[in-house]
Amino acid sequence: MTIFVIGYYALLLAASCAAAYFNKRAAFMLLFSLTLVSFVVGIIGGAGALYAIAVAAGILAMMAMVSYAFREFLILLAGKETAKELRTAPLTAAFGMFIIFTYVIAGIFAPWIAPHGEAEVISSAFAPADANMLLGADQLGRDMFSRLVYGTRNSVGLSLTATIGAFVLGAGAGLLAATKGGWFDQLMGRLADVIMSIPSLIFALLMLSIFGPSMPVIIVAVAIIYAPRVFRLTRAVAGNVVVMDYIEAAKLRGEGTGYLIRREILPNSTAPLIAEFGLEFCFVFLLVAGLSFLGLGIQPPTADWGSMVRENATLISFGEITPLIPAAAIALLTVAVNFVVDWMLHRSSGLKE
Amino acid sequence: MSPKKEVLLKIRNLKIQGYSDETWVDIIKGVDLTLHRGEVMGLIGESGAGKSTIGAAAMGYARDGTRITEDSSIEFDGIELTTSTESERRALRGSRIAYVAQSAAASFNPAHKIIDQHTEAPLHYRLRKRTEAQEDAMDLYERLRLPNPHEIGFRYPHQVSGGQLQRAMTAMAMSCRPDLIIFDEPTTALDVTTQIEVLAAIRDIVDQFNTAALYITHDLAVVAQMADTIKVLLKGNEVEEAPTEEMLSNPKEDYTKSLWAVRSFESPQRTREGRECLISVKNVDAAYASGPKILDDVSFDIYEGMTVAVVGESGSGKSTTARVITGLLPPQKGEVLFKGEPFPPDYRNRNKEQLRQCQMIYQMADTALNPKVRISEIIGRPAQFYSGLKGTALKARVDELLDLIELEPSKYYNRFPPELSGGQKQRIGIARALAAEPSFIVCDEVTSALDQLVAEGILRLLDRLQNELNLAYMFITHDLATVRSIADEVIVMQHGKVVEQGPKDQMFKPPHHPYTDLLLSSVPEMDPNWLTTLLEERGVDNIGDAAAANIDPDDAKIAP
């Protein structure tokens, strides 16, 4: 019995008793079931397993605290209306916003944050982590951490541009189709069907092998692939708005299509569109990473998370986690974005707990 | 209310709270209610008074986001509903307490036949076998005077008219022979002619089975026909309760008196003399796409500064006429003249000046105002669009318009429509129409979605604006009380034809066209014996749709 084990159980039991005393049902159930599980785990796995549980709980608690503090921080910074909305955000959404915020900072200030250059070879291939290189070196001896930071810029920047492109194309066409109706609606609808009928990865590979793998081609190809989904959603949402009396009133006033879309329809369709933006961003991100992994995305030596996974893939057979780090970065961002999107969907759909 | 009768429902100190802005707010603030077996109690009040909430609470049900406080007591036939379990309460619903909702069309499942939905409850509670339940359903349909009682149940809800569906819903509520039925505004969405059939049917069946009922409505004349006792509610509080006769003849509280006095407003009738003809509809035929003809040779004139009321039941072509005038539906034949000049049939071909002259106020203020646009822009946009006002001039104009509709400019300038009440929204709709500085406004059922007190305020406002700004109104309505208070001239439409038109004072005096006579006689009156008398006079088969079907628009006028 080490002091750690005694302290571990003492803390858990004290917390459970306190929760029970103050009638906090949910907290008590959580703490006490954790205590019971710990008895079993402690017997089977020994102090090491308990240590792992303690670390995991610690990390979770840290994340929760960061999220909570970050939400309060945003509430203080934001205006009155936004602050009211932010107060409704669950901790998961705050966590998502914190991660996105971190990524944005890393992307914008990459040259200042990264200790080494993007393509700078500073040590031997696959060098282990040391004080100089936080995450070790990649297959050419470049600093993994620096490349990860630069990769934020490229991967996130590319996906963001492509998603915005898809939204401009899709939402624009969807709003016009809903407003105009008639043959234009039909034409756009069938065009979307045609694009959707081609498997997305095949289409991207085709475009990239015809026009060569450059940034603009990737952006345009991905935007075209994802535009039809946005088109369908926008048309459906706007379709419910255009039948309202206030649209009729605006039409009778003699307003043009531009005003109708901008001032009357768009404000009533933003909530689902923003939620969709978050989801599409994840899909686009994964597609771009997939393309990079296949070697058709962003070209070396530009750092990109997808290609970083591929380049270091051999290391996985030696039990090193280096290739998983960029993959984890992708996963973390996707999860974070989805946390935020969930919250927004929740709000726009008016669902309750 | 005879004291010998057994008490069926006893509600004591009912408090219901709703969750808003992170606190619990009282919606119902301690209401007591006692209902005996076979008694019909009318609950009346404005919207937001808590009528429907009390109705739901009588079934031990609190809507999402609301809760019944612990010190309330709801006792149904000796069972305390606030402490009983959810499954106990569910066992009562449908079998011993039934509910008839306002919109039967929305309450029936469109994917199942009416009779299958009817027999669901008796089968679920194992009260009857399927065939027995179906026979019983047909029997109930017959009692409720539905046409083809043996066949109508096998139709789907959309194949049946609104009034019939409402009666089918009442039959469904009766399927388990409940002790208590809650009617939540069952006729509010119906035309006067249809309403009368439903009222007669409901009253008969409640009598026949000696069912107790809570009848929720905001229409006093209706409740006077239906209820034995009336309870008046205001903002979650009880104002007073008394037997119907006593309540009508001798209301005690001021609020009740004000409800009773609502229909007193009447604007002096204007005449055509010295006025110019503004809008002239000439021999218009219209139809949607390739559908049947909706308007058949419609002609009438609207003079400047006058109110022309267009009445008729739904489907008679009132709104279609408005759509033809505004240019939303170009007519197949005929034309619309504005000050003698032809108006382009399609609004897209009209110039700004022509569009400006003709504005519209909608029935549903909720859908007529963009919820995501500030009041300042909703009202300011037409002023900006037509008159090119900008900056401080625009702000001054919006303030002026808000003043005109009796809303405080500084308070409402930056608000969004969902933050306003129904009456205020309708006022904003009026301000938007006025902002264009029109000479003619189409008012499409502008008061039918509002409570009577609020509606009266809107009518007074419209009348005042008409005098100040010399506006002409085309006032579409199915409520003859509204016609009586605001119209100068009346047009009666049936099946897309104008059956009668003329100045108001002539229209309300015989001889009438038979259809006008039917409409006039179908308007409920405050007299609690009105329905009984009417049924005796006209006979059960000569009211409502059945009677309307026998009338041809070309029939000659009759004197009663």
Side-chain angles (χ1 to χ4, degrees):
Chain A
M1 280 290 214
T2 58
I3 292 176
F4 165 72
V5 175
I6 295 166
Y8 177 91
Y9 284 117
L11 187 70
L12 265 185
L13 282 169
S16 324
C17 292
Y21 184 76
F22 289 109
N23 247 337
K24 301 280 181 231
R25 223 182 124 76
F28 171 73
M29 286 304 285
L30 184 77
L31 283 166
F32 196 66
S33 46
L34 186 63
T35 318
L36 293 180
V37 169
S38 299
F39 283 136
V40 179
V41 173
I43 291 164
I44 298 167
L50 290 185
Y51 187 70
I53 291 182
V55 169
I59 291 175
L60 262 179
M62 292 273 275
M63 282 177 174
M65 284 191 286
V66 165
S67 314
Y68 182 77
F70 188 69
R71 187 175 66 189
E72 294 303 310
F73 174 69
L74 284 180
I75 289 172
L76 281 180
L77 281 188
K80 208 177 155 207
E81 287 295 307
T82 334
K84 203 178 164 192
E85 298 291 336
L86 279 171
R87 264 179 235 283
T88 66
L91 277 186
T92 48
F95 176 72
M97 285 189 275
F98 175 71
I99 295 293
I100 293 168
F101 175 75
T102 317
Y103 275 49
V104 168
I105 295 292
I108 294 172
F109 300 106
W112 292 276
I113 293 172
H116 304 283
E118 192 177 0
E120 201 181 337
V121 177
I122 51 165
S123 73
S124 60
F126 297 134
D130 57 27
N132 190 22
M133 294 183 295
L134 287 171
L135 296 173
D138 69 359
Q139 90 282 13
L140 295 177
R142 296 171 295 191
D143 178 29
M144 199 70 185
F145 178 71
S146 303
R147 283 182 65 74
L148 208 57
V149 173
Y150 275 103
T152 316
R153 207 175 227 199
N154 301 321
S155 299
V156 179
L158 179 71
S159 313
L160 201 63
T161 326
T163 318
I164 290 172
F167 262 75
V168 169
L169 281 179
L175 287 168
L176 268 179
T179 326
K180 291 262 178 211
W183 64 268
F184 183 80
D185 187 15
Q186 288 297 325
L187 183 77
M188 284 293 138
R190 299 299 79 75
L191 193 67
D193 290 349
V194 168
I195 298 174
M196 282 184 103
S197 66
I198 306 169
S200 54
L201 202 57
I202 307 276
F203 184 75
L205 291 177
L206 194 73
M207 294 283 277
L208 288 169
S209 41
I210 294 172
F211 298 106
S214 69
M215 283 276 217
V217 177
I218 300 176
I219 291 171
V220 171
V222 173
I224 289 174
I225 289 169
Y226 281 96
R229 300 173 179 227
V230 185
F231 166 81
R232 285 195 169 186
L233 178 84
T234 319
R235 190 183 160 280
V237 172
N240 287 335
V241 179
V242 289
V243 293
M244 303 301 260
D245 286 340
Y246 52 83
I247 302 293
E248 189 183 293
K251 279 184 179 168
L252 276 181
R253 203 187 303 143
E255 301 282 8
T257 314
Y259 179 88
L260 279 180
I261 287 178
R262 203 164 35 83
R263 295 298 311 154
E264 305 279 358
I265 301 174
L266 208 51
N268 288 295
S269 358
T270 36
L273 283 184
I274 289 174
E276 181 70 6
F277 186 89
L279 278 182
E280 290 297 334
F281 176 72
C282 294
F283 288 125
V284 168
F285 199 93
L286 295 177
L287 182 69
V288 170
L291 286 175
S292 303
F293 182 79
L294 292 172
L296 278 164
I298 300 164
Q299 292 305 302
T302 316
D304 167 76
W305 294 345
S307 40
M308 280 166 75
V309 177
R310 186 181 59 124
E311 286 158 1
N312 297 297
T314 46
L315 216 54
I316 201 89
S317 25
F318 298 101
E320 279 285 337
I321 59 152
T322 315
L324 295 183
I325 292 167
I330 297 172
L332 189 61
L333 180 64
T334 323
V335 169
V337 168
N338 272 300
F339 275 156
V340 179
V341 167
D342 276 350
W343 169 52
M344 287 183 166
L345 272 178
H346 200 72
R347 266 174 6 96
S348 69
S349 64
L351 287 175
K352 297 194 303 155
E353 299 313 311
Chain B
M1 208 199 305
S2 72
K4 278 172 264 170
K5 277 186 180 172
E6 193 189 338
V7 173
L8 181 67
L9 178 73
K10 197 163 94 181
I11 294 179
R12 286 292 170 268
N13 191 29
L14 177 69
K15 282 185 192 149
I16 296 176
Q17 296 179 320
Y19 195 74
S20 77
D21 285 339
E22 297 172 16
T23 49
W24 288 96
V25 186
D26 282 351
I27 301 173
I28 305 295
K29 299 154 188 162
V31 170
D32 294 348
L33 188 152
T34 310
L35 190 66
H36 301 84
R37 254 177 216 288
E39 186 186 12
V40 178
M41 178 182 280
L43 291 178
I44 60 170
E46 301 169 48
S47 54
K51 310 179 294 272
S52 300
T53 316
I54 293 178
M59 298 185 286
Y61 179 77
R63 292 191 183 145
D64 285 345
T66 65
R67 64 175 186 195
I68 300 172
T69 56
E70 283 170 11
D71 54 344
S72 317
S73 153
I74 303 164
E75 203 180 308
F76 174 78
D77 203 15
I79 307 164
E80 177 58 51
L81 294 182
T82 46
T83 50
S84 57
T85 62
E86 185 59 30
S87 59
E88 282 170 351
R89 276 179 280 181
R90 273 180 49 192
L92 288 177
R93 294 177 195 152
S95 66
R96 299 198 58 200
I97 311 178
Y99 182 77
V100 176
Q102 174 168 5
S103 168
S107 306
F108 270 105
N109 186 338
H112 297 284
K113 286 176 184 152
I114 293 171
I115 204 157
D116 291 340
Q117 301 184 48
H118 182 113
T119 53
E120 193 181 335
L123 291 178
H124 176 81
Y125 291 110
R126 293 162 197 265
L127 295 173
R128 287 193 185 82
K129 294 196 182 86
R130 181 176 292 275
T131 44
E132 281 173 24
Q134 288 190 348
E135 272 164 30
D136 181 60
M138 290 166 192
D139 176 49
L140 282 171
Y141 293 154
E142 201 162 355
R143 284 167 192 263
L144 285 161
R145 291 190 288 276
L146 282 162
N148 306 328
H150 294 285
E151 177 267 330
I152 196 165
F154 295 94
R155 294 194 210 166
Y156 287 95
H158 68 269
Q159 294 169 316
V160 173
S161 78
Q164 292 169 359
L165 209 53
Q166 197 69 54
R167 277 180 279 169
M169 180 119 185
T170 309
M172 188 160 91
M174 277 289 174
S175 63
C176 295
R177 301 292 182 278
D179 300 311
L180 171 65
I181 300 188
I182 292 149
F183 292 98
D184 194 350
E185 309 238 11
T187 61
T188 307
L190 304 174
D191 290 320
V192 275
T193 48
T194 320
Q195 165 170 304
I196 197 167
E197 287 177 315
V198 177
L199 289 182
I202 289 180
R203 202 176 63 168
D204 282 2
I205 202 139
V206 168
D207 268 1
Q208 280 175 23
F209 294 110
N210 196 31
T211 315
L214 278 179
Y215 197 96
I216 299 165
T217 180
H218 65 259
D219 191 337
L220 298 161
V222 166
V223 88
Q225 311 311 317
M226 308 301 291
D228 304 322
T229 50
I230 296 179
K231 188 190 274 293
V232 183
L233 296 164
L234 173 66
K235 290 174 185 157
N237 284 312
E238 179 181 330
V239 178
E240 63 176 312
E241 181 187 334
T244 306
E245 304 260 348
E246 195 185 317
M247 182 72 103
L248 290 172
S249 55
N250 186 23
K252 289 190 188 67
E253 302 293 325
D254 287 344
Y255 176 72
T256 320
K257 284 178 192 157
S258 75
L259 279 178
W260 266 230
V262 156
R263 295 182 181 234
S264 59
F265 171 69
E266 195 170 337
S267 97
Q269 192 178 339
R270 302 169 187 84
T271 54
R272 287 186 175 188
E273 267 170 57
R275 294 175 195 270
E276 212 185 324
C277 179
L278 195 67
I279 297 267
S280 183
V281 178
K282 286 210 184 308
N283 308 95
V284 162
D285 283 10
Y288 290 102
S290 54
K293 217 186 236 184
I294 308 287
L295 295 184
D296 187 3
D297 197 26
V298 171
S299 305
F300 58 87
D301 296 328
I302 298 172
Y303 281 69
E304 61 172 14
M306 287 178 74
T307 304
V308 175
V310 182
V311 285
E313 52 190 287
S314 52
S316 61
K318 309 183 299 274
S319 297
T320 311
T321 314
R323 291 176 72 84
V324 168
I325 295 176
T326 52
L328 283 166
L329 181 73
Q332 291 174 323
K333 203 172 103 263
E335 58 180 350
V336 179
L337 303 179
F338 182 81
K339 287 186 178 167
E341 300 286 315
F343 238 13
D346 192 331
Y347 75 93
R348 292 184 193 89
N349 303 330
R350 294 185 185 175
N351 60 32
K352 260 191 188 183
E353 183 57 27
Q354 287 167 328
L355 287 168
R356 188 175 73 81
Q357 292 296 347
C358 172
Q359 293 293 314
M360 195 153 174
I361 306 172
Y362 293 85
Q363 176 177 10
M364 304 299 295
D366 290 323
T367 58
L369 302 178
N370 191 334
K372 295 289 168 70
V373 178
R374 286 179 200 280
I375 302 300
S376 54
E377 191 182 334
I378 290 178
I379 302 179
R381 178 65 190 174
Q384 184 193 3
F385 187 76
Y386 293 120
S387 315
L389 294 177
K390 277 196 191 92
T392 46
L394 183 62
K395 172 135 186 4
R397 174 72 180 139
V398 173
D399 285 356
E400 187 191 326
L401 285 163
L402 281 170
D403 265 337
L404 211 53
I405 53 162
E406 293 152 20
L407 293 179
E408 174 107 21
S410 57
K411 233 171 116 185
Y412 293 95
Y413 192 77
N414 272 327
R415 291 219 198 162
F416 289 97
E419 297 164 27
L420 305 181
S421 71
Q424 288 169 339
K425 278 185 220 168
Q426 199 55 280
R427 280 165 193 263
I428 299 295
I430 295 171
R432 178 174 62 186
L434 291 178
E437 300 176 51
S439 54
F440 172 65
I441 299 181
V442 177
C443 305
D444 191 353
E445 305 257 14
V446 286
T447 55
S448 62
L450 302 173
D451 293 315
Q452 286 170 359
L453 279 176
V454 184
E456 196 204 351
I458 297 284
L459 291 182
R460 283 182 194 275
L461 173 71
L462 284 171
D463 190 55
R464 204 196 79 214
L465 293 169
Q466 181 166 40
N467 291 332
E468 286 173 15
L469 306 168
N470 197 32
L471 297 165
Y473 294 140
M474 174 172 158
F475 209 95
I476 298 170
T477 183
H478 65 255
D479 181 12
L480 288 161
T482 313
V483 175
R484 208 166 260 158
S485 58
I486 197 167
D488 300 317
E489 292 181 3
V490 182
I491 295 169
V492 182
M493 290 186 75
Q494 188 199 9
H495 302 322
K497 283 184 182 170
V498 174
V499 295
E500 202 176 2
Q501 56 179 311
K504 175 173 68 172
D505 49 359
Q506 284 180 24
M507 295 297 286
F508 281 101
K509 262 185 251 152
H512 299 298
H513 183 272
Y515 183 69
T516 317
D517 185 54
L518 177 72
L519 279 182
L520 284 172
S521 66
S522 302
V523 179
E525 285 165 25
M526 285 301 203
D527 174 13
N529 297 318
W530 166 80
L531 185 61
T532 323
T533 325
L534 182 82
L535 290 175
E536 276 168 14
E537 272 176 17
R538 296 191 72 113
V540 273
D541 298 322
N542 197 23
I543 52 166
D545 290 340
N550 293 332
I551 299 172
D552 188 75
D554 299 325
D555 279 349
K557 287 189 182 185
I558 50 158

